[in-house]
Amino acid sequence: MQKEKAIKKTRIIFWAQAIVSATLATLLQTGLIGSTTIALSPTALYTIEVAGIMLTICLIPLAIKGFSAQVSKAAKKKTPHFIEYYHSKCNARTSILFMVIMMNIALYYILGKTSGPLYCGLLGVAAAIYSYPTKGTLDNYLNSQDHQE
């Protein structure tokens, strides 16, 4: 797979996931999809909110640092078909980040618009923007692969 084609495919997946997340938030905010607030005890509400925050705290570094470590290791080993490997790992990373965003959007509306999921969703958006696939990033990994020779 060529670099340009891999980056283009990765960006298409990135933007498709961003559009789905934005559409969900818009539909819930405008009321086109009924956002049902669940009546829970304060303890259950707190437990669900903390579980969502903990998942966010665990998944964002895993997506960013784990991706970087795996791709760097593959670049150092001179993995054949490195561009395909990069493409699949980049798609996995963006999927994890948009899963975090979608989970926090859902929790925000289900739990009664509490601030915890809102802030965690914004952290997910910031992490997704940080991990936007660029040709320069792929070139850096390929150059590090060439310098190892």
Side-chain angles (χ1 to χ4, degrees), residues 30-31 33 37 42 47 49 71 83 98 109 118-119 124 137:
T30 59
I33 294 179
T37 303
T47 303
E49 191 172 345
V71 174
I83 295 174
F98 282 105
Y109 287 100
L118 176 65
Y119 295 133
T137 305

Side-chain angles (χ1 to χ4, degrees), residues 2-8 10-11 82-83 86 90 93 131-143:
Q2 295 175 335
K3 289 190 295 187
E4 291 80 18
K5 188 175 181 181
I7 293 298
K8 185 177 180 180
T10 305
R11 285 182 179 170
F82 178 76
I83 295 174
Y86 174 83
C90 198
R93 174 174 63 172
S131 67
Y132 183 73
T134 63
K135 186 179 175 197
T137 305
L138 178 56
D139 286 339
N140 287 342
Y141 285 118
L142 290 173
N143 289 338

Side-chain angles (χ1 to χ4, degrees), residues 14 64-65 68 93 97 124-134 137:
F14 179 91
I64 292 176
K65 189 63 177 171
S68 178
R93 174 174 63 172
L97 292 173
V125 169
I129 291 169
Y130 172 78
S131 67
Y132 183 73
T134 63
T137 305

Side-chain angles (χ1 to χ4, degrees), residues 3 7 9-10 26-27 34 39 48-49 51 53 55 61 66 68 78 81 101 108-110 112 115 119 121 128 133 149:
K3 289 190 295 187
I7 293 298
K9 283 183 173 182
T10 305
T26 303
L27 291 174
I48 293 170
E49 191 172 345
I53 291 169
L55 269 173
S68 178
K78 300 175 189 154
H81 308 291
I101 294 168
Y108 177 72
Y109 287 100
I110 290 171
S115 62
Y119 295 133
E149 293 177 356

Side-chain angles (χ1 to χ4, degrees), residues 56 60 97-98 100-101 104 119-129:
T56 300
I60 289 176
L97 292 173
F98 282 105
V100 166
I101 294 168
N104 283 299
Y119 295 133
C120 289
L122 292 174
L123 285 173
V125 169
I129 291 169

